């Protein structure tokens, strides 16, 4: 073969290979941890419809707002909300400076790890713990405390970092929406300043796209001329239940076309999303896999899913059955270092 | 010339032309309405430094947060805040349903256009007007009222639409920052729901990047099952002065590296921006052009610039002298239609 023909042949081979890879990429499953079924199909159909230019359901990219609850929707919320585990750990750390807490409820229960007493504690008691652990420092200091804690704290059942207790199928869903020019937001009952230090790294959702509950902060000028924001022991906004549409309106100022939750605390967000005009997607993560995660709904103390489940069924919203719709629950992670490291999971091969 | 050589010559001509256009584009002035001078140079230098990969002052794109005050920084605020002009117009419209207002202050003053009496009105009086005009409807209804008003209302001095009373040099600055992957936010003392219906169209800043003052909203389910957010006559948050860093922390969750204001109400936002680590830009629009716009600072009732000007001078922040630093004030617009249309501007050729 002459040099030129060889070159031409090589070029053609390259181009064909390139085209093949490209076709393969287009065909790759964007949701590999989702089993084929109604839930996965509903997501793929919806995204296909709203992104098809000229189609009846096309939505311009800047209006593709997607909102996700966090606790129980993007990461675990059992046996207690992770932010509450953080607060308990903080009570223990701070108890060195508060010896009186060892005999004072609800602090005593937190120090003793007595979740029953804590759960039975009045709302006032829980607010006391939040006030003691989430106030009295600057916003920068609190952000650092969260960053340090979340880098090392592990879930008691799975011995994983809490940032590894996120749902792999939901990570894929967020990435899939982003690849289709959706703007993804968290809209959570959890504290906004507890989430922002890590949501970008873990979910790919930046701080300015995180909506949550908040305490009052106050601007102060320190004697050395440094301005700070002090976190005060006072609730400002509860971004839960009817507070979620309020938070969406206040922080985002647009109505989502896509929303995902998992509990009755998300019902109004889903209703608010459904009430807009044009194509809409409302999804609920239903916890049905006791072996690999937890199974709970109508009678659960944490993450109760009752009225929202009835409404979802009545209105044809997408209810994700974790046991049947998800092929994997958590992302793969390395075994913890050290000889004494407990196994990562009770069932490391869960669903594999 | 043979066909092949002709083709080659054409190709080379095309490529050269293309390269020429490209070089020209690179050299085009991104801020054509800014006169050469210290202010323009400071902006160009700053953007050059923070976007230079590997440079000492490089800032990753996701951290390039820029915040702009609105009234007096992006659009005019004289002789009264534009939102206040909106409220007065609304009082007049609503007075048909409130005949008692004709004799009741502060409504009487609004109906009569008696700005002196209005200005002398107590804070309680002004809040009465805001409550009467900004509450008692759904958020969607209010958004429509604003959209309708802003499509037709004109500034009394310039006979321009209010959305044409924006500063051309600042539009160029926003576009320049966006082209350099800054995320641009409005952080205004004005009402967030008054701004969001039009900021994307006018400034290229979408609703979710607008931070402002707000009233309380309440989620309600209408008898027909439609969920709505009702605007209540109660102030929720004043995004002004020390409220601006609070609002930035609450809504954005990151500290800006670039901030622009024009009054003492922006001082804390500028201080908060300056106190971050790394390269920072703090700018102030100083109104110095009475012929083309207005000249005011230390003693002005609206948009007073006194302490912030002292701090800017002491700390070397960039103070933009509108008269000397800007080549044009407003964007060019067509003359209003109709034989009786007043001239667009007292000085249509201002600065040309």
């Amino acid at each position: 073969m002459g040099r030129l023909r060889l070159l031409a042949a090589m070029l053609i081979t390259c181009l064909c290979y390139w085209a093949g890879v490209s076709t393969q990429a287009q065909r790759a499953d964007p949701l590999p941890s989702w089993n084929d079924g109604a839930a996965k199909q509903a997501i793929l159909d919806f995204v296909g419809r709203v992104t098809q230019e000229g189609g009846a359901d096309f939505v311009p990219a800047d209006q593709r707002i997607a909102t996700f609850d966090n606790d129980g929707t993007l990461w675990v919320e059992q046996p207690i909300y992770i932010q509450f585990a953080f607060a308990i750990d903080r009570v223990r750390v701070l108890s060195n400076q508060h010896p009186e807490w060892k005999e004072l409820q609800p602090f005593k229960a937190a120090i003793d790890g007595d979740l029953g007493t804590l759960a039975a504690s009045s709302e006032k008691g829980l607010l006391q713990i939040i006030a003691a652990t989430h106030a009295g420092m600057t916003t920068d200091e609190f952000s650092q405390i969260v960053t340090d804690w979340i880098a090392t704290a592990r879930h008691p059942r799975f011995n994983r970092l809490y940032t590894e207790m996120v749902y792999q199928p939901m990570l894929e869903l967020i990435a899939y929406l982003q690849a289709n020019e959706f703007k993804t937001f968290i809209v959570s009952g959890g504290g906004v300043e507890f989430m922002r230090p890590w949501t970008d790294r873990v979910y790919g959702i930046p701080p300015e796209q995180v909506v949550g509950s908040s305490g009052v902060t106050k601007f102060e000028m320190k004697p050395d001329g440094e301005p700070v924001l002090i976190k005060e022991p006072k609730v400002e906004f509860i971004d839960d239940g009817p507070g979620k549409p309020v938070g969406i309106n206040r922080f985002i100022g647009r109505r989502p076309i896509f929303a995902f939750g998992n509990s009755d605390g998300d019902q109004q967000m889903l209703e608010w999303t459904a009430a807009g005009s044009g194509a809409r997607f409302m999804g609920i993560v239903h916890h049905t896999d006791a072996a690999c995660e937890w199974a709970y709904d109508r009678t659960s103390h944490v993450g109760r899913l009752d009225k929202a489940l009835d409404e979802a069924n009545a209105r044809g919203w997408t209810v994700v059955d974790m046991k049947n719709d998800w092929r994997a629950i958590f992302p793969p992670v390395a075994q913890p270092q050290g000889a004494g490291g407990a196994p990562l999971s009770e069932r490391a091969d869960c669903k594999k």
Side-chain angles (χ1 to χ4, degrees), chain A:
Chain A
M1 209 187 278
R3 284 185 83 101
L4 260 179
R5 292 187 65 177
L6 179 65
L7 212 68
M10 281 173 64
L11 188 67
I12 287 166
T13 310
C14 283
L15 285 175
C16 290
Y17 177 73
W18 193 22
V21 168
S22 172
T23 306
Q24 213 168 25
Q26 280 168 21
R27 284 194 198 144
D29 184 351
L31 303 173
S33 300
W34 293 68
N35 285 317
D36 290 335
K40 180 174 184 169
Q41 202 52 52
I43 293 168
L44 295 173
D45 284 350
F46 177 80
V47 173
R49 283 189 291 127
V50 300
T51 57
Q52 196 195 342
E53 274 193 70
D57 292 329
F58 178 72
V59 176
D62 69 330
Q63 290 164 36
R64 293 180 204 153
I65 304 290
T67 57
F68 291 87
D69 169 57
N70 187 38
D71 299 304
T73 299
L74 299 181
W75 74 353
V76 300
E77 61 184 353
Q78 300 289 358
I80 55 173
Y81 293 123
I82 295 174
Q83 188 171 1
F84 203 48
F86 163 77
I88 290 173
D89 280 0
R90 288 301 297 164
V91 166
R92 289 176 181 157
V93 169
L94 295 168
S95 67
N96 293 331
Q97 303 152 42
H98 294 276
E100 74 280 10
W101 285 359
K102 292 203 174 73
E103 302 304 327
L104 184 70
Q105 293 296 13
F107 300 102
K108 182 179 177 342
I111 294 166
D112 298 343
D114 176 2
L115 296 184
T117 300
L118 269 182
S121 177
S122 64
E123 195 188 350
K124 194 184 151 208
L126 298 180
L127 285 176
Q128 271 184 292
I129 287 188
I130 295 292
T133 55
H134 287 65
M137 72 284 277
T138 69
T139 49
D140 283 351
E141 285 162 355
F142 183 74
S143 176
Q144 191 58 53
I145 291 168
V146 171
T147 300
D148 292 346
W149 181 81
I150 208 132
T152 57
R154 285 176 181 271
H155 192 282
R157 172 172 163 195
F158 289 87
N159 193 32
R160 279 171 168 244
L161 294 176
Y162 283 111
T163 49
E164 295 164 349
M165 298 296 295
V166 298
Y167 303 129
Q168 175 65 21
M170 298 304 282
L171 297 183
E172 292 167 5
L173 175 57
I174 290 171
Y176 174 54
L177 293 175
Q178 290 175 347
N180 281 281
E181 296 182 81
F182 279 72
K183 202 163 183 179
T184 50
F185 289 82
I186 290 172
V187 177
S188 169
V192 67
E193 305 206 61
F194 177 71
M195 296 183 281
R196 281 176 169 157
W198 52 268
T199 54
D200 201 11
R201 173 172 60 85
V202 174
Y203 301 134
I205 296 182
E208 63 272 22
Q209 286 163 228
V210 179
V211 179
S213 297
S214 56
V216 171
T217 62
K218 196 178 161 197
F219 181 85
E220 277 186 21
M221 195 59 85
K222 281 165 60 175
D224 67 357
E226 188 199 348
V228 289
L229 290 171
I230 303 289
K231 284 175 67 63
E232 302 203 322
K234 200 174 154 191
V235 171
E236 176 183 77
F237 176 55
I238 300 291
D239 187 50
D240 197 36
K244 288 206 176 191
V246 170
I248 288 169
N249 179 66
R250 185 182 304 172
F251 286 80
I252 307 176
R254 305 201 208 229
R255 197 188 293 250
I257 64 166
F258 184 109
F260 236 108
N262 78 296
S263 78
D264 284 358
D266 303 310
Q267 187 174 8
Q268 289 82 359
M269 173 170 78
L270 296 168
E271 289 170 345
W272 182 245
T273 303
S277 58
R280 308 272 130 185
F281 183 97
M282 285 64 64
I284 286 181
V285 173
H286 189 193
H287 294 261
T288 53
D289 193 338
C292 293
E293 204 243 7
W294 283 270
Y296 58 98
D297 46 34
R298 297 186 187 274
T299 59
S300 177
H301 194 75
V302 174
R304 176 170 305 165
L305 174 64
D306 183 29
K307 289 180 184 170
L309 186 57
D310 290 338
E311 186 167 2
N313 288 331
R315 299 180 66 177
W317 297 347
T318 296
V319 179
V320 175
D321 179 330
M322 280 178 77
K323 189 176 168 70
N324 293 315
D325 284 322
W326 286 1
R327 189 170 294 171
I329 305 281
F330 303 121
V333 291
Q335 202 71 9
Q337 297 297 311
L344 262 182
S345 162
E346 322 180 303
R347 290 189 57 189
D349 63 342
C350 204
K351 295 200 169 204
K352 292 291 174 193

